Structures are given as structure tokens and as C-alpha cells.
Amino acid sequence: MVRTAISSISFFWEGTNRRTDQYGGDLEKRTHFAVQVIEEVRRNVGRDFPVCLRFSQWKLQDYSAKLAGTPQELERFLAPLSVAGVDIFHCSQRRFWEPEFEGSPLNLAGWTKKLTGKPTITVGSVTLNQEFTTSFGNSDTASVTDIDDLLDRIERNEFDLVAIGRSLIVNPDWPRIVQRGALEELLPFQRDVLQELV
């Protein structure tokens, strides 16, 4: 899988992309740089090599910001990227259980899969009760939670894969523990554990 970092702050966001050339303008035009990168990656890796694009709706300095305020806008944003050669979308959000738009329980990965027909990866506080900014912002412990809602969403085919972050840092054997159904063995996440990493 090829990972190429493209600054969405510079190109995707209307407030920061003030360009008047081919890389600026409306929502679709602001994807043009990413589209060119994806097309070039696709040319170099061939048709059978999976290309993944990670994106988020929010900004690090503003978690209420959204690139797309409606499913229709999200479709306009995703369509050029999908056509360019993205095989799977990694849809970043802070809490996987939060709906992306009013009136639907689908999260960002769910909407992305529905709109593009491509496989998606969800992420966001899996097996933890706190999102990452709270965990890193203070010394509170992020307690372990169950995965019933996550499993229900997978069974409903809302998304295809699940990415794990903080919980995997303190539980490197997270997949085996979860597969055994032994969630009581999972350790909670605390910011202090990062000081012990080598």
C-alpha cells in the first residue's frame, strides 16, 4: 500500500486555498493536486497495487470544521479522488460512533463507502471512551469500552476495516485479545505510557 502525504490544509480547504490557478476554486477544483498525485502513483504502481487515501473532515485547530457539510458535497469531493485511482479510503474521525451528517447513523467511513462504492477504513477511539485530544491533553485515563457497536456496524457492511491507534500502543496484542473476546484483558490508555516507548 502506498502512502503519500498531501496537505489537505493547503489544498482541500476553501479558507486556506486562495489559489486562482488549476489547484484552487470550488470543492472539486481543490482536489486537483491530490488527483494528479494519485494518478501518478497509479501509473507507477500498476492497476493491481492498492492505493489508499486517508482524509478527514475536520482540522486540528477546529474539530467542528467540515470540508463537506452535506452528503452531496462529500460526494463531489470524493468522486474525483475515486476516479483518479484510490482503491480504499481511510476515513479519519475522532469517535467512530459519531454520525457524519444529521438524519443518518452512518459515520464518515459509512458515507464514503455509500457514495463511492469503494472499501473504507474507520478509526476513532475504538475500545476507548475518550477521543485522542482528551487523552493527550491531560493525564486522565481513557477507559476500555466494548466493541458491540463496532461489530454491529461491520455486520451492516458500513465499513470494511478498522484502524486502531492508542489502544494498540498499550495493547500490542489487541487483535488476539479481541478475537478471543477477552476485552477485560485490555489495558486503558494513559498519556504517560508514551514516555516508556523505546
Side-chain angles (χ1 to χ4, degrees), residues 11-107:
F11 288 94
F12 293 154
W13 289 92
E14 182 179 20
T16 54
N17 184 344
R18 301 294 188 177
R19 299 176 71 108
T20 57
D21 59 10
Q22 62 181 328
Y23 300 112
D26 64 20
L27 188 57
E28 292 95 336
K29 289 179 180 174
R30 294 194 308 270
T31 68
H32 190 64
F33 176 71
V35 163
Q36 286 185 322
V37 172
I38 294 162
E39 288 172 343
E40 189 62 27
V41 168
R42 175 56 67 212
R43 272 192 290 276
N44 282 275
V45 300
R47 294 180 49 145
D48 297 328
F49 195 92
V51 175
C52 177
L53 178 74
R54 180 178 166 109
F55 77 100
S56 67
Q57 281 266 72
W58 43 270
K59 300 167 109 177
L60 285 176
Q61 69 273 24
D62 184 0
Y63 294 117
S64 64
K66 286 194 181 233
L67 273 173
T70 66
Q72 294 77 21
E73 288 181 354
L74 183 60
E75 186 171 27
R76 286 174 43 217
F77 171 74
L78 294 170
L81 304 168
S82 182
V83 170
V86 172
D87 295 301
I88 183 166
F89 287 94
H90 187 171
C91 309
S92 177
Q93 62 182 106
R94 296 185 303 147
R95 304 172 188 97
F96 80 88
W97 59 87
E98 290 184 339
E100 192 58 34
F101 302 110
E102 284 187 32
S104 169
L106 291 177
N107 71 2

